[in-house]
Amino acid sequence: MKFKIFKYDTVKSTNETAIKLIKSNKYKKGFVFALSQTKGKGRYGKKWISKRGNFFGTIFFYLKKNYPSVEEFSLINPILNIDLLSKYCGKKNTFFKSPNDIYINKKKICGILQEVITKKSKKYLIIGIGINLLSNPKIKNYPSTNIYKETKKRPQVLKILKQIISKYEEFFYNLDLYKFSNFKLRLEKLLLN
């Protein structure tokens, strides 16, 4: 599966933009990318602080019958993104914190927001991915970090975009090899205590 990229300078939310693209009747899959968000979303309606220079993207697709379930994707998404982030920050330092966060050195570096919409009786999965590349919010009692702070390397936003898309395209290309138990076992080993 190939994902068409929709690039924007600024959007309210990449997830909301993906939903509008689906509802427009023109697109069944794609990747929305923005340099900044004015109303980035976290779980339970919380605000996702979206400073320019970090990564804000949303992948969306129609859930075909042979695809994993929505629940399975809630474990697949962290693994695909951990695989990417561990290349920058090291496998030993990268963990998953349930239900949807990725941590580096016990500090949050990435959040994933999964949503589902139904259109004409078809379900679409919307997966928002926010990664702290160059800065991170200062939230009391909630440690966070960014790739630059952890590695002293400045990741390129467009390179991260290509790498994430490549991870998802590779996953769908190899869908016939997919086993949920493998993803579940990997994620259990990566759980942050």
Side-chain angles (χ1 to χ4, degrees):
M1 179 190 307
K2 288 279 182 198
F3 290 96
K4 177 177 173 58
I5 301 171
F6 301 89
K7 288 184 188 173
Y8 300 89
D9 183 75
T10 303
V11 296
K12 282 185 180 177
S13 149
T14 56
N15 274 28
E16 290 302 320
T17 303
I19 290 168
K20 284 178 187 170
L21 289 169
I22 294 166
K23 288 183 175 178
S24 75
N25 289 325
K26 291 181 183 172
Y27 304 102
K28 291 187 177 180
K29 64 181 186 278
F31 198 104
V32 175
F33 166 75
L35 294 174
S36 68
Q37 299 182 114
T38 57
K39 292 186 178 175
K41 296 190 322 185
R43 280 173 56 90
Y44 308 118
K46 291 180 182 171
K47 184 179 179 184
W48 179 267
I49 297 167
S50 306
K51 284 196 175 175
R52 194 174 277 266
N54 290 328
F55 182 85
F56 317 107
T58 297
I59 196 163
F60 66 92
F61 49 88
Y62 158 57
L63 279 166
K64 294 182 180 176
K65 286 189 171 118
N66 65 322
Y67 285 6
S69 70
V70 171
E71 293 75 23
E72 288 179 37
F73 267 109
S74 68
L75 300 183
I76 294 165
N77 294 320
I79 289 291
L80 296 179
N81 286 283
I82 282 171
D83 285 348
L84 168 71
L85 289 170
S86 65
K87 287 181 181 173
Y88 287 89
C89 302
K91 287 183 180 181
K92 290 180 182 177
N93 304 325
T94 313
F95 296 94
F96 173 67
K97 185 173 181 190
S98 185
N100 65 338
D101 293 333
I102 298 173
Y103 275 57
I104 300 290
N105 295 323
K106 300 193 176 178
K107 292 170 273 191
K108 182 174 175 175
I109 199 164
C110 172
I112 300 167
L113 178 63
Q114 190 170 281
E115 298 181 84
V116 178
I117 66 162
T118 303
K119 185 175 169 295
K120 294 184 180 175
S121 74
K122 290 182 178 177
K123 280 188 175 180
Y124 290 82
L125 187 59
I126 295 119
I127 305 156
I129 303 163
I131 306 172
N132 298 331
L133 303 182
L134 302 177
S135 65
N136 54 280
K138 310 271 187 288
I139 303 169
K140 193 176 179 183
N141 301 324
Y142 203 90
S144 62
T145 191
N146 62 72
I147 291 178
Y148 180 66
K149 189 187 287 183
E150 296 295 325
T151 65
K152 302 300 177 239
K153 293 177 186 166
R154 287 182 171 269
Q156 296 175 341
V157 176
L158 294 179
K159 187 176 180 184
I160 296 276
L161 170 67
K162 287 178 186 171
Q163 289 171 327
I164 290 174
I165 290 172
S166 176
K167 280 278 170 201
Y168 279 90
E169 288 179 348
E170 182 184 349
F171 172 80
F172 283 107
Y173 181 78
N174 295 309
L175 195 59
D176 55 335
L177 303 173
Y178 167 73
K179 284 189 175 67
F180 177 64
S181 57
N182 293 349
F183 277 83
K184 191 175 178 189
L185 187 62
R186 278 195 64 201
L187 209 56
E188 284 169 1
K189 290 178 181 176
L190 293 167
L191 276 175
L192 186 66
N193 298 323

